[in-house]
Structures are given as structure tokens and as C-alpha cells.
């Protein structure tokens, strides 16, 4: 009984700790220097600014976080009605590795690179090659679990 209560308390503590922290989201693929660049902070805190931090820990760009807006300029909520703020750093295009710091938390590390999409094209081609070879030794179990069997070609 005592172990059960401790386990329940640990689960509740972990759930509370997770829900209390913000998520600072950037593109996991990275950004091209000339592309639009956004950060989204999923949080209902008073975070109003963000800083881009380089590998040496220096602030290289600062910006503001604003309420998200639709194409008509109306304030909207983020996915699933979550509270969030959006920051635009499209004007920053220096290549390198960075992370974004806000008062609500930090983003994962991301890169700004002229070749940021090179790996994406290779990964997409590998995916389609695997789909074409679905019953080969290369990727024999791609659709094995489908019932009825899924035939791509």
C-alpha cells in the first residue's frame, strides 16, 4: 500500500512538473538564412521577449513575442486552443548553431545554414526508395502489419 501511494505521488509530481513548463518550439530541420524564421512559445506566462544565443553563450539577436494572428490580423489561439506567443526572427540570417532563450524556457539547438534542406531531400528519397522496395530485404516489413495487406504498387 505504501509503495502504491509513493508511485501515485511520483506520477502526479511528474505530471505537474511537465504541465508547468513551457515548450519553446523551433524548426527541428533548421532554417535557411533567407527563409522565414519563427519561434513559438507554448505557455501562458508573461514572456514577451526572446534572445538568440550562439555557441559561445552570447546574445546575437533579440526580438519580441506576440500573440498569434491569422491572415486577417485577428488574434487566435495555437494548436488545440493552447496559449502561445510567436516571435519572428526572419531578419537574422547569420549561419551557425543557436538556441532561443525566453523567460519561460529555452528551445532545442537549431542551425541556420545554406545547405539546411540537403539532408531533407536525401531522407525523402530514401523513404520513397524504401516504399518501392517494400517486400525486399531493404525494407521487407514496411506494410506487413496491414490487414488486409496494403499494396503500394
Amino acid at each position: 500500500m505504501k509503495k502504491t501511494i509513493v508511485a501515485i505521488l511520483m506520477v502526479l509530481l511528474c505530471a505537474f512538473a511537465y504541465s508547468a513548463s513551457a515548450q519553446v518550439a523551433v524548426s527541428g530541420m533548421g532554417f535557411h538564412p533567407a527563409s522565414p524564421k519563427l519561434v513559438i512559445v507554448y505557455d501562458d506566462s508573461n514572456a514577451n521577449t526572446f534572445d538568440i544565443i550562439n555557441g559561445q553563450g552570447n546574445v546575437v539577436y533579440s526580438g519580441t513575442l506576440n500573440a498569434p494572428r491569422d491572415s486577417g490580423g485577428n488574434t487566435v489561439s495555437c494548436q488545440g486552443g493552447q496559449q502561445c506567443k510567436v516571435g519572428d526572427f526572419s531578419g537574422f540570417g547569420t549561419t551557425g548553431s543557436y538556441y532561443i532563450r525566453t523567460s519561460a524556457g529555452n528551445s532545442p539547438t537549431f542551425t541556420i545554414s545554406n545547405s539546411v534542406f540537403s539532408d531533407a531531400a536525401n531522407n525523402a528519397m530514401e523513404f520513397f526508395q524504401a516504399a518501392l522496395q517494400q517486400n525486399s530485404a531493404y525494407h521487407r516489413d514496411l506494410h506487413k502489419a496491414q490487414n488486409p495487406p496494403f499494396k503500394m504498387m
Side-chain angles (χ1 to χ4, degrees):
M1 180 69 171
K2 194 174 188 180
K3 288 181 182 181
T4 304
I5 292 173
V6 170
I8 291 171
L9 288 175
M10 291 300 291
V11 168
L12 290 174
L13 180 62
C14 289
F16 177 76
Y18 177 76
S19 65
S21 65
Q23 180 179 359
V24 181
V26 292
S27 170
M29 188 182 304
F31 301 96
H32 187 276
S35 71
K37 300 170 202 69
L38 298 175
V39 57
I40 302 174
V41 180
Y42 291 95
D43 189 37
D44 58 359
S45 73
N46 293 325
N48 293 315
T49 61
F50 68 93
D51 295 319
I52 298 178
I53 312 297
N54 66 10
Q56 292 76 37
N58 300 320
V59 175
V60 293
Y61 184 90
S62 295
T64 58
L65 295 169
N66 300 300
R69 299 192 179 277
D70 64 14
S71 60
N74 303 308
T75 302
V76 295
S77 295
C78 282
Q79 296 172 331
Q82 296 182 49
Q83 295 296 316
C84 73
K85 292 187 179 177
V86 178
D88 187 346
F89 59 104
S90 299
F92 181 74
T94 306
T95 59
S97 291
Y98 306 96
Y99 72 92
I100 292 181
R101 179 178 65 201
T102 72
S103 62
N106 297 336
S107 76
T109 301
F110 63 91
T111 58
I112 297 177
S113 169
N114 287 313
S115 61
V116 71
F117 301 119
S118 298
D119 290 338
N122 292 337
N123 291 342
M125 289 306 295
E126 187 172 328
F127 169 80
F128 288 116
Q129 287 296 323
L132 289 173
Q133 302 171 16
Q134 64 180 332
N135 293 318
S136 71
Y138 178 76
H139 207 297
R140 117 176 20 126
D141 63 342
L142 183 63
H143 300 293
K144 192 174 190 176
Q146 295 290 100
N147 190 12
F150 176 75
K151 298 294 183 192
M152 188 164 286
M153 298 283 177

